[in-house]
Amino acid sequence: MRDKIHLLIDSEALSAKTTRELQGAKLTIDAALNNMSQGLVMFDSSARLIVCNQQYLELYRLSSETVRPGCTFREILNQRVGAGSLLISDLDQHIAEILAGVARGADFTKIVTLRDGRIICAVNHPMTAGGWVATLEDITEEKRAEDRIVHAAHHDALTGLPNRILFAEQLEQALKRVRRGERLSVLYIDLDHLKRINDTLGHPIGDKLLKGVARRLLSCVRDIDTVARLSGDEFAVVQSSIDQPSQAAALALRIREAIRAPFDLDGHQVVVDISIGISIAPDDGTELEELIKAADIALYEAKNTGRGIYCFFEADMNERMQARGKLEHDLRSALANGEFELFYQPIFNLPNNKISAFEALLRWRHPERGLILPAEFISVAEDMGLIIPLGEWVLSTACAEAATWPSEINVSVNVSPLQLTNNNLINVVARAISSAGISASRLEIEITESVFFEKTFANISTMKKLHEFGVRLVIDDFGTGYSSPGYLLSFPFSKIKIDRRFITGLSDNKESRAIVRALANLARDLGMIVTAEGVETSQQLEQIRILGCTQMQGYLFSRPLPATEIHRLFLSKIKNIGRAA
Ligand code: C2E
Ligand code: MG
Ligand code: MG
């Protein structure tokens, strides 16, 4: 060890006092120098070198030929600049800083990165007699390990993008610039159908997709912007220094174009779509929380209201979100509290004007708000999963009600697509029918057309089973979705209901007339009943008769009414209905 130590003492160059002190301390220093792994250097009160060890010279790539006792601190620093072990441009300032630190009398640490990437930590100890000792250590490995930990804590392991924590930090930094007059946008991006891709193609493909999405997102932004992955299928972008919100819209469109191009993942062509919510600072707020919440609300709006690919935050969205939150909260207890009711609307056979069925239509008697229509809560109940128990309640209540009617009158029940994908629907229907004690053929199940767009094997097989069970299947709102006569051929439907839109258009829209006529003809040829929905005027009634519809339902004859009302109005005098109509 001793031969490694390069002790540089030139007693002539030192004052007598310092030499005396040194001689006293020499033995101790020798022992210390011999046994230390760090570099050590000592300067006297006039910043001249007293001593340094070999490790010191090696750390800074200095030569023992030129670094001699008595050299000034400045000379050594100049040599370090020459050797590439000091990157400081302003030497005077550096010297002033160190000397000021020494003058303060307390230990202080300096960490420097050398040109070759090594990181050196120098701890400076001022000495009572003036001057200072510095111990130096190469902390490159430690620092790298620490950096790796810090990096892992701030980045998403899969894509390498900043995670939620770093995203928040970077947004916070960018917001400082907003307070000085800049403008920025926050884009929340939600990838559609990731779960489905994971489920059908496997997680490794899902992971590759996410990496691909990350790469494409990065390709859409500038260096000064941040792209982060916030959670499974949620990404975010901070777009810094923009002049106009339209730049955020342009970025949203660019991102969408980039993401929608097909991904080739191990031979699978995968196409994904996204929704984007945008908030702008300072317009929508200057605080982190505000902006994140605003972007999130706008994303929700873009995703759930079909308002398009991207949506800017608007103040009233917040109120709508709160209203929705309250609705969800209230819905959660509504079923248990018995707040739901079924209204019934008659469906008439046109040839003889007799009631063929009543359609059960759900109503929510809210304790504060009164009667609420399904348009306001069905989709919320679907999102919450509540539609499954609620739909079960509707089926059993409607069947039990039908048991009190004449047996030639059917009951028609709307079933959500989610109930159809739930394996249990057959059992639920069977239970409702058997506990009401009605025949299966009296139950008509109305399924909206959108179901066929999502025609999964599960949906088709459930519909076939329902048909085999004896239940009648009805396509509701025909013409609003992805109408294709193909559906009519491939499923065992007994009825189609033509959407109200076409009936309303009958008087002044040639196309509506043509559609209704064509559907009526097609249905007749396939042996199906055609019901016109939403008939409000006697003129419309006349027209649907002429065009070939076989049933009608609408305000012209009756609005949906509570069960007790339909008993009073129709069922007690059912025989007179035909004449009255
Ligand atoms: P839908 O199945 O097409 O029901 C017909 C809707 O049209 C009903 O609205 C009815 O009140 C309305 N209507 C009937 N005749 C006329 C008319 O002449 N003019 C006008 N303007 N409207 C008329 P409602 O009760 O508000 O229900 C809306 C939708 O909510 C239903 O459309 C159905 O898709 C859904 N829905 C209702 N009850 C349930 C249910 O128990 N379960 C599920 N999943 N959905 C339901
Ligand atoms: Mg219906
Ligand atoms: Mg309908």
Side-chain angles (χ1 to χ4, degrees):
M1 204 56 188
R2 169 163 268 281
D3 55 353
K4 279 188 78 187
I5 298 170
H6 192 93
L7 193 58
L8 298 155
I9 301 179
D10 183 347
S11 45
E12 282 172 19
L14 304 172
S15 69
K17 182 170 172 271
T18 314
T19 312
R20 261 199 319 281
E21 276 176 9
L22 249 182
Q23 274 161 356
K26 187 173 182 303
L27 284 175
T28 328
I29 293 172
D30 269 359
L33 290 177
N34 273 333
N35 288 296
M36 62 196 301
S37 58
Q38 298 134 311
L40 179 136
V41 64
M42 184 187 277
F43 291 96
D44 67 11
S45 54
S46 48
R48 285 178 181 277
L49 181 70
I50 300 169
V51 63
C52 72
N53 65 4
Q54 182 68 25
Q55 287 91 316
Y56 172 76
L57 298 174
E58 282 170 6
L59 274 177
Y60 286 146
R61 308 224 192 289
L62 295 170
S63 153
S64 58
E65 302 296 313
T66 47
V67 176
R68 309 289 310 165
C71 276
T72 62
F73 183 42
R74 176 184 293 276
E75 280 161 0
I76 292 178
L77 291 181
N78 271 322
Q79 289 190 39
R80 279 181 52 195
V81 171
S85 59
L86 188 62
L87 294 173
I88 287 154
S89 54
D90 189 346
L91 213 55
D92 287 336
Q93 194 192 336
H94 181 69
I95 292 169
E97 264 175 37
I98 298 284
L99 294 183
V102 171
R104 274 194 296 275
D107 288 1
F108 61 100
T109 302
K110 272 224 164 263
I111 293 178
V112 288
T113 303
L114 309 188
R115 191 183 293 161
D116 61 9
R118 283 178 304 140
I119 301 163
I120 308 293
C121 171
V123 184
N124 299 284
H125 316 270
M127 297 188 293
T128 32
W132 74 100
V133 183
T135 49
L136 303 103
E137 206 170 354
D138 183 341
I139 58 163
T140 315
E141 273 316 307
E142 269 170 74
K143 192 83 178 77
R144 291 212 175 119
E146 195 184 305
D147 287 352
R148 275 195 292 276
I149 293 168
V150 171
H151 187 272
H154 289 84
H155 289 81
D156 165 44
L158 180 69
T159 61
L161 290 179
N163 62 11
R164 194 179 277 278
I165 298 168
L166 185 55
F167 169 74
E169 280 176 23
Q170 296 191 344
L171 178 53
E172 199 68 86
Q173 285 304 319
L175 283 173
K176 284 188 186 146
R177 297 194 298 274
V178 166
R179 282 168 211 132
R180 292 198 295 266
E182 262 191 23
R183 198 178 224 182
L184 64 76
S185 76
V186 176
L187 281 75
Y188 260 36
I189 302 164
D190 188 273
L191 203 60
D192 292 343
H193 307 314
L194 177 66
K195 186 177 179 308
R196 196 186 288 172
I197 289 161
N198 276 334
D199 289 350
T200 53
L201 300 177
H203 283 263
I205 298 281
D207 286 355
K208 283 193 175 147
L209 172 68
L210 287 165
K211 285 189 195 167
V213 167
R215 264 195 305 277
R216 290 188 189 179
L217 285 175
L218 285 170
S219 73
C220 293
V221 302
R222 302 157 303 168
D223 287 349
I224 54 167
D225 301 329
T226 300
V227 177
R229 180 172 176 223
L230 303 183
S231 65
D233 52 3
E234 226 180 21
F235 293 83
V237 173
V238 178
Q239 185 189 25
S240 308
S241 307
I242 57 167
D243 302 320
Q244 318 252 7
S246 62
Q247 284 167 272
L251 175 61
L253 287 174
R254 250 195 339 270
I255 288 176
R256 201 218 184 195
E257 277 312 295
I259 302 294
R260 289 226 317 171
F263 286 89
D264 186 346
L265 307 170
D266 293 350
H268 298 279
Q269 291 284 308
V270 176
V271 177
V272 286
D273 209 344
I274 49 168
S275 312
I276 303 177
I278 307 173
S279 62
I280 306 277
D283 313 49
D284 302 323
T286 50
E287 297 300 324
L288 181 98
E289 290 301 325
E290 273 178 296
L291 282 167
I292 287 183
K293 192 169 165 221
D296 203 22
I297 290 174
L299 172 63
Y300 176 85
E301 197 79 12
K303 244 174 28 179
N304 293 291
T305 56
R307 286 185 44 175
I309 312 126
Y310 67 84
C311 214
F312 278 97
F313 173 76
E314 289 159 19
D316 66 340
M317 283 178 190
N318 212 350
E319 282 154 36
R320 284 209 292 276
M321 274 288 271
Q322 274 165 9
R324 156 119 187 176
K326 166 103 171 83
L327 199 73
E328 282 181 15
H329 171 267
D330 294 352
L331 261 180
R332 228 163 254 133
S333 52
L335 190 56
N337 292 347
E339 292 169 14
F340 291 109
E341 287 174 25
L342 288 181
F343 277 31
Y344 296 89
Q345 186 180 31
I347 300 169
F348 291 89
N349 269 328
L350 282 178
N352 58 10
N353 288 340
K354 280 194 173 157
I355 291 178
S356 155
F358 285 97
E359 179 173 6
L361 293 161
L362 191 56
R363 300 289 181 265
W364 176 16
R365 201 169 288 279
H366 190 280
E368 293 145 26
R369 298 177 49 196
L371 210 62
I372 303 181
L373 291 175
E376 201 178 326
F377 64 85
I378 291 280
S379 66
V380 184
E382 285 175 340
D383 289 351
M384 292 166 67
L386 181 77
I387 196 69
I388 303 294
L390 181 56
E392 189 170 343
W393 178 86
V394 170
L395 274 161
S396 64
T397 309
C399 288
E401 189 57 40
T404 70
W405 306 339
S407 61
E408 68 275 17
I409 295 181
N410 291 347
V411 63
S412 205
V413 175
N414 295 283
V415 161
S416 151
L418 287 183
Q419 287 172 271
L420 209 63
T421 39
N422 186 287
N423 298 332
N424 206 22
L425 183 63
I426 307 284
N427 294 334
V428 169
V429 166
R431 255 201 317 271
I433 286 172
S434 73
S435 56
I438 61 169
S439 107
S441 61
R442 286 185 64 200
L443 177 61
E444 299 179 4
I445 285 190
E446 298 195 8
I447 301 162
T448 56
E449 212 189 349
S450 62
V451 169
F452 309 108
F453 183 57
E454 299 232 337
K455 66 174 164 181
T456 61
F457 181 71
N459 286 353
I460 298 169
S461 84
T462 309
M463 285 195 284
K464 293 218 158 109
K465 281 191 200 139
L466 285 170
H467 176 68
E468 282 157 20
F469 194 69
V471 166
R472 292 166 201 262
L473 295 177
V474 178
I475 308 188
D476 203 356
D477 308 328
F478 198 79
T480 52
Y482 304 88
S483 327
S484 153
Y487 301 145
L488 303 179
L489 299 172
S490 49
F491 300 103
F493 292 108
S494 55
K495 190 195 280 195
I496 62 172
K497 295 179 85 170
I498 303 178
D499 192 66
R500 180 158 60 89
R501 207 168 44 143
F502 300 104
I503 309 305
T504 315
L506 279 181
S507 54
D508 49 31
N509 188 327
K510 255 203 262 164
E511 272 171 35
S512 291
R513 275 199 294 278
I515 288 170
V516 174
R517 184 183 294 111
L519 282 176
N521 289 342
L522 181 67
R524 194 190 47 233
D525 291 348
L526 295 171
M528 292 162 72
I529 295 166
V530 185
T531 309
E533 294 189 294
V535 178
E536 294 184 346
T537 66
S538 39
Q539 220 181 350
Q540 287 167 350
L541 176 62
E542 208 38 52
Q543 275 174 311
I544 58 160
R545 267 188 215 276
I546 295 166
L547 294 171
C549 293
T550 42
Q551 288 190 340
M552 67 77 70
Q553 174 180 4
Y555 292 174
L556 177 64
F557 283 127
S558 173
R559 287 178 176 262
L561 296 168
T564 48
E565 285 283 293
I566 62 154
H567 271 278
R568 196 173 60 79
L569 282 176
F570 301 109
L571 298 172
S572 56
K573 38 186 172 177
I574 194 99
K575 297 230 161 56
N576 300 326
I577 286 284
R579 253 168 282 148

